[in-house]
Amino acid sequence: EKQYVGFATLPNQVHRKSVKKGFDFTLMVAGESGLGKSTLVNSLFLTDLYKDRKLLNAEERINQTVEIIKHTVDIEEKGVKLKLTIVDTPGFGDAVNNAECWKPITDYIDQQFEQYFRDESGLNRKNIQDNRVHCCLYFIPPFGHGLRPVDVEFMKALHEKVNVVPLISKADCLTPSEVKKLKDRVREEIDKFGIKIYQFPDCDSDEDEEFKQQDKELKESTPFAVIGSNTVVEAKGQRVRGRLYPWGIVEVENQSHCDFVKLRNMLIRTHMHDLKDVTCDVHYENYRAQCIQQMTS
Ligand code: GDP
Ligand code: MG
């Protein structure tokens, strides 16, 4: 049977006019290498973005880790088209010197703003290709007791430029109570260090109860604890994405095992439009104001 990611609800988020044109969304992943970034984006969109990876020779593979790689996939569900761009970034930690390890990433985000700014001031304004990054998933390792200095600095380098959504990676390495403890700690530290992560907009008072409940859960689940897997395993007679252990199976899409489904729903079903709005109205506007200031001073 066919599996659905769920973006067929996108038309409910925006005007019908844009339905025909289709939607586009650019998602970036960042964080230390080996935390499961590539695996998670694969799991999120049920596509194997990295299926050509095996074809690379050793030399190319070395290059790959120091480069930002952009993948675009066109997916269609129930007649709704989504052009999804994933920006995979080199994981830090490989280099001996991690100072300013976020620099290539912030440069990349700025370059997309710059391009958009140039196009917007040009003659062909109607057909601008929008490559701005709408969301950055930041991966926090499961093994520490909270944020490391590098996590704090990294997110602070990004937070004025892009919607940062923090994740606790490889949540299958932790017990539920450890997950809760780490989440509480990370939330505290995000506050303490003044990191401005993406804020879910408050819902209107006339929203229905179910929606309000969803919204509350979303806020309380931050930072989402996720598990990624590219393998299909059998659980209770059903074939699911999961990880097989001697003591049992963790299912990626089981809500009592991790927040994967919450994250995907947030990105695709409920908040994609808001993520794009904030990118345009806040982050891009900041960039634009700076450009104009520089031009006139
Ligand atoms: P990246 O460097 O951040 O892109 O990490 P990869 O996606 O390449 O994954 C690194 C390794 O971690 C691989 O062996 C994955 O199979 C494994 N891995 C990925 N996601 C998870 C997870 O959620 N839990 C566990 N236990 N391992 C994972
Ligand atoms: Mg990777």
Side-chain angles (χ1 to χ4, degrees):
E1 85 281 21
K2 205 160 152 55
Q3 277 186 295
Y4 289 109
V5 170
F7 58 83
T9 62
L10 277 176
N12 305 338
Q13 294 174 51
V14 287
H15 199 268
R16 286 200 68 84
K17 192 170 75 184
S18 32
V19 175
K20 235 172 54 195
K21 254 175 55 194
F23 297 85
D24 54 53
F25 187 65
T26 300
L27 179 70
M28 177 186 253
V29 289
E32 192 178 342
S33 76
L35 289 182
K37 298 184 292 298
S38 305
T39 308
L40 189 87
V41 285
N42 258 332
S43 311
L44 274 172
F45 303 104
L46 312 173
T47 45
D48 197 356
L49 299 171
Y50 300 92
K51 57 182 180 294
D52 299 330
R53 213 190 215 175
K54 296 183 280 296
L55 303 174
L56 300 176
N57 61 39
E59 204 173 7
E60 275 170 327
R61 210 173 293 162
I62 292 161
N63 285 340
Q64 210 179 20
T65 59
V66 297
E67 255 176 23
I68 290 177
I69 308 169
K70 206 169 111 174
H71 302 267
T72 299
V73 281
D74 288 292
I75 28 188
E76 188 171 337
E77 275 182 20
K78 301 177 184 170
V80 179
K81 291 193 209 91
L82 174 68
K83 179 167 164 263
L84 174 76
T85 304
I86 301 286
V87 183
D88 201 352
T89 65
F92 61 86
D94 290 340
V96 178
N97 180 8
N98 273 324
E100 304 224 334
C101 52
W102 51 82
K103 190 77 168 48
I105 295 171
T106 52
D107 283 350
Y108 180 89
I109 296 171
D110 281 340
Q111 279 156 20
Q112 310 316 308
F113 283 154
E114 189 188 330
Q115 182 65 48
Y116 194 88
F117 185 66
R118 239 186 284 135
D119 291 350
E120 205 181 39
S121 349
L123 290 173
N124 193 17
R125 276 195 318 233
K126 281 247 163 69
N127 297 308
I128 300 180
Q129 171 144 27
D130 185 3
N131 290 314
R132 293 173 297 184
V133 181
H134 300 119
C135 179
C136 177
L137 303 177
Y138 184 79
F139 286 63
I140 298 163
F143 312 108
H145 297 287
L147 297 177
R148 303 163 299 175
V150 68
D151 297 319
V152 175
E153 287 187 63
F154 207 110
M155 284 193 273
K156 286 188 121 173
L158 291 172
H159 71 184
E160 307 270 18
K161 297 177 187 293
V162 66
N163 293 309
V164 175
V165 172
L167 303 180
I168 291 175
S169 59
K170 300 190 173 179
D172 52 316
C173 303
L174 302 173
T175 65
S177 72
E178 286 170 333
V179 168
K180 190 182 174 304
K181 221 165 114 191
L182 185 55
K183 278 187 176 191
D184 290 346
R185 185 68 187 262
V186 168
R187 269 205 307 267
E188 256 169 53
E189 291 181 330
I190 282 173
D191 258 11
K192 182 171 121 196
F193 294 112
I195 302 167
K196 289 175 259 171
I197 57 168
Y198 171 63
Q199 293 295 313
F200 302 114
D202 287 320
C203 42
D204 300 328
S205 50
D206 58 353
E207 247 16 292
D208 60 44
E209 281 309 311
E210 193 192 327
F211 191 90
K212 280 186 191 157
Q213 183 56 32
Q214 260 177 24
D215 186 66
K216 189 162 162 270
E217 265 176 40
L218 215 51
K219 286 175 181 162
E220 286 170 356
S221 304
T222 302
F224 301 115
V226 293
I227 300 168
S229 165
N230 288 326
T231 43
V232 172
V233 293
E234 200 159 313
K236 297 176 211 107
Q238 288 211 311
R239 291 174 60 71
V240 296
R241 246 170 216 260
R243 307 190 74 88
L244 194 59
Y245 286 98
W247 42 263
I249 289 166
V250 281
E251 295 164 50
V252 168
E253 304 198 32
N254 185 327
Q255 299 235 39
S256 60
H257 292 186
C258 74
D259 302 321
F260 176 90
V261 171
K262 264 196 203 104
L263 172 69
R264 194 176 61 194
N265 283 347
M266 186 281 284
L267 289 173
I268 305 286
R269 294 190 185 184
T270 57
H271 288 72
M272 183 183 284
H273 195 54
D274 188 63
L275 286 162
K276 291 178 76 169
D277 273 352
V278 177
T279 301
C280 192
D281 301 345
V282 180
H283 300 304
Y284 177 63
E285 270 313 302
N286 277 342
Y287 175 85
R288 215 172 145 266
Q290 279 167 21
C291 281
I292 291 169
Q293 204 174 35
Q294 274 167 18
M295 275 158 34
T296 55
S297 64

